[in-house]
Amino acid sequence: MESEKELMNNAKTPVTSRLSRVSEYLTLFLFLITEDPKFHVLFIPGNPGVVPFYKDFLESLYEFLDGNASITAIGQISQTSKDWEPGRLFSLQEQIDHKVGFIRQDMEGVKVPIILVAHSIGSYISLDILRKFSEKVVYCIGLYPFLTLNKQSTKQSLIGKLAASSVLSATASFLIASLRLLPVWAARRLVSNSLGASWSDTAVQATCTHLRQYHTMRNVLYMAMTEFRELAAEPDWDFMRENQSRLAFLFGIDDHWGPLQLFEEISKQAPGTSLSIEREGHTHAFCCTVAGSVWVAQHVATLIKNRFTHLQ
C-alpha cells in the first residue's frame, strides 16, 4: 500500500478556490478546468458540505479522467470559514434550491453534458437536480448515499435527536466553536489525536478552518434536522426506475447512512441501476484520508469511462 506522501506526490493539478454569489448567497467553490472538456462534472458534497474536505478526491478524479473533464464543486450555504450569512440557518430544501439556482445561473451555457457526482445527502440533492435538468444531466453517481432514514441505526437516531433540539444544537455548536480559542497548532494536534492518525492534512486543515465555527456547526445541525424530516419517506422509486440507466451508487460495508439494505432495495426497485460495494476498508468519510480519496476517485473515473467508452 502506497504511503500518503507517495499517493499525493503523484502529479496532480491543484484545485482553485473561489467565493462567488449564487443568487444572494456567497458560496465557496473548488474548480479544476480543462481547455477542451468532453463533459463537466458537478460535485455535490454531503453534510458537512465543506468542499475543502474533498480537495484530494477532486484532484485525483481530475487526473484519472485524463483531462477530459472540467470539475466544479459547490459548497453548502453558510458552511464556510467566515459567517457570510449572519444569523441564517438553511434547510435541506434551501440547499437544494441553491444548487438548482447555480445551474440556472452559471451552467445554462455549458455546451457539454453534465455528470453529477455526489456524496451522502448530496446524492439525494443530485436526484432532485436530475429531475429538474434531465436534458443536461447525463449521469448521476452517488457515493455512500443517504437517501432515506435507517430506522435500525442507533447512531442515526442519536444524531437526529441532537439536531432536533435547538438547545442541544446551539450548545454543541458553541462547544465546538470554543476550540477557536486554541492556537492553530494545538487545534491541529487535537483534531489529529481525536480523529485518528489516518486523517489527511487536507481533512485536518478543513476541520480546523471551517468546522470550528459556530455558524457552520449550527447550519450543519439545522440542515441535518430537516434531512431527517424529509428522508423519513421512501425514495421516489418510480423516478429512480425511469432513470435507472443514468444512476450509479457506491455503498460501504458498514455505513449507517447508506446501509446495505438500501443497496438491496435499489437492486429490487430499480435493477438497471449500477451498484457497487466498496470492500477496501474505507468509510463514509472517505474524503478524510488520502487512500479513500484516491480509491473512490478511481472508482468514479472507471464508472464514467465505462459509460462513455469514447473516453478510453
Side-chain angles (χ1 to χ4, degrees), residues 243-262:
N243 292 276
Q244 56 191 315
S245 65
R246 294 196 282 178
L247 299 178
F249 295 105
L250 172 68
F251 286 81
I253 290 291
D254 185 22
D255 180 11
H256 70 87
W257 297 111
L260 292 182
Q261 59 259 37
L262 178 60

Side-chain angles (χ1 to χ4, degrees), residues 144-163:
Y144 305 86
F146 181 30
L147 302 179
T148 188
L149 291 187
N150 177 5
K151 296 179 176 62
Q152 299 175 18
S153 170
T154 302
K155 185 180 292 185
Q156 210 171 101
S157 176
L158 290 173
I159 293 170
K161 290 175 181 176
L162 168 63

Side-chain angles (χ1 to χ4, degrees), residues 60-312:
S60 297
L61 178 60
Y62 183 82
E63 297 302 324
F64 286 132
L65 290 173
D66 306 317
N68 284 302
S70 290
I71 299 175
T72 299
I74 179 172
Q76 308 290 14
I77 317 170
S78 203
Q79 297 190 23
T80 47
S81 59
K82 292 186 179 180
D83 189 1
W84 302 109
E85 312 297 336
R88 296 284 306 272
L89 297 175
F90 295 89
S91 68
L92 172 60
Q93 187 58 55
E94 287 171 313
Q95 298 286 5
I96 292 173
D97 294 342
H98 171 250
K99 311 305 175 289
V100 170
F102 167 68
I103 296 175
R104 288 181 175 149
Q105 174 182 303
D106 289 81
M107 299 195 75
E108 284 291 356
V110 172
K111 303 301 183 185
V112 295
I114 295 173
I115 294 175
L116 299 176
V117 179
H119 177 218
S120 193
I121 191 62
S123 304
Y124 180 91
I125 295 173
S126 70
L127 289 175
D128 212 20
I129 293 172
L130 176 60
R131 190 192 310 275
K132 292 178 170 65
F133 298 97
S134 59
E135 293 184 2
K136 294 185 73 70
V137 175
V138 296
Y139 203 31
C140 179
I141 302 171
L143 308 173
Y144 305 86
F146 181 30
L147 302 179
T148 188
L149 291 187
N150 177 5
K151 296 179 176 62
Q152 299 175 18
S153 170
T154 302
K155 185 180 292 185
Q156 210 171 101
S157 176
L158 290 173
I159 293 170
K161 290 175 181 176
L162 168 63
S165 167
S166 59
V167 173
L168 291 177
S169 292
T171 301
S173 300
F174 176 79
L175 290 173
I176 293 171
S178 67
L179 297 176
R180 293 177 64 193
L181 298 173
L182 295 174
V184 173
W185 68 266
R188 289 180 63 88
R189 178 173 295 180
L190 177 63
V191 170
S192 297
N193 290 340
S194 60
L195 296 175
S198 64
W199 270 40
S200 64
D201 287 343
T202 296
V204 171
Q205 178 68 16
T207 300
C208 291
T209 56
H210 290 71
L211 292 188
R212 287 194 304 160
Q213 309 292 334
Y214 179 81
H215 71 278
T216 296
M217 287 310 305
R218 283 289 278 136
N219 268 284
V220 166
L221 291 169
Y222 184 77
M223 182 179 173
M225 177 190 72
T226 61
E227 290 171 24
F228 276 69
R229 290 177 180 173
E230 293 294 325
L231 275 64
E234 286 282 302
D236 186 343
W237 296 121
D238 289 337
F239 176 77
M240 291 180 67
R241 269 190 294 273
E242 290 167 7
N243 292 276
Q244 56 191 315
S245 65
R246 294 196 282 178
L247 299 178
F249 295 105
L250 172 68
F251 286 81
I253 290 291
D254 185 22
D255 180 11
H256 70 87
W257 297 111
L260 292 182
Q261 59 259 37
L262 178 60
F263 173 97
E264 298 293 342
E265 192 63 23
I266 294 174
S267 67
K268 294 175 186 174
Q269 297 282 355
T273 303
S274 175
L275 297 173
S276 306
I277 300 174
E278 175 266 302
R279 302 180 187 275
E280 302 297 315
H282 306 303
T283 66
H284 186 85
F286 72 91
C287 58
C288 292
T289 68
V290 171
S293 295
V294 172
W295 190 93
V296 174
Q298 188 163 39
H299 176 80
V300 171
T302 300
L303 283 172
I304 292 172
K305 288 179 178 180
N306 289 344
R307 174 63 186 263
F308 305 97
T309 53
H310 61 281
L311 299 180
Q312 299 284 4

